[in-house]
Amino acid sequence: MKRFTVRVQLHTKEGKQYELDSDTYKVLHAAMEDLGFTKTIQSTTGKTHDLPSAEYNYISSDDSITKHDILGAAKKAGKATGQNFSILVNPIADVGRCWYNLDETEESED
């Protein structure tokens, strides 16, 4: 399995950053989700945690997928907003990830 952490930051042509709860970010979140990105991460104990704002998780069973493939997918989602954006893709090594104080994801009641 290949894992990636991706950060997408939206900004205007003037460099102003959008508020993380704006409608523009909602468009980004939907586009990222459609491409298989999630806003959560799972611990080795099976608990699911919310990632920090504007960060995404991507897991693939395709061992040939590269960081450039992930960047391309994130760029597609960024373009869906019609805004300027910056992206950082971090491939995750076999040793995994660590974090501190991420909120545990609340179960939704549908």
Side-chain angles (χ1 to χ4, degrees):
M1 281 252 177
K2 286 205 167 178
R3 293 175 171 82
F4 301 85
T5 301
V6 179
R7 179 165 177 82
V8 182
Q9 186 168 351
L10 300 176
H11 47 87
T12 65
K13 291 179 182 173
E14 296 80 27
K16 179 181 174 187
Q17 296 177 10
Y18 283 87
E19 295 294 321
L20 292 170
D21 62 350
S22 71
D23 289 340
T24 307
Y25 266 103
K26 290 176 185 171
V27 170
L28 176 67
H29 297 329
M32 293 291 279
E33 184 176 334
D34 287 347
L35 293 168
F37 292 85
T38 65
K39 295 282 299 144
T40 59
I41 189 170
Q42 193 168 33
S43 71
T44 56
T45 63
K47 291 184 180 179
T48 302
H49 299 272
D50 296 324
L51 286 170
S53 298
E55 292 205 10
Y56 300 88
N57 185 40
Y58 191 89
I59 299 173
S60 177
S61 59
D62 179 358
D63 285 337
S64 68
I65 199 163
T66 69
K67 61 187 174 188
H68 299 287
D69 296 328
I70 300 304
L71 177 62
K75 285 169 68 175
K76 182 178 179 181
K79 288 177 184 177
T81 69
Q83 303 301 318
N84 289 337
F85 52 89
S86 302
I87 300 172
L88 178 66
V89 176
N90 292 303
I92 306 306
D94 291 338
V95 294
R97 298 177 261 204
C98 62
W99 59 84
Y100 172 75
N101 208 23
L102 293 181
D103 290 335
E104 191 170 339
T105 303
E106 293 182 20
E107 296 293 323
S108 63
E109 294 181 22
D110 295 325

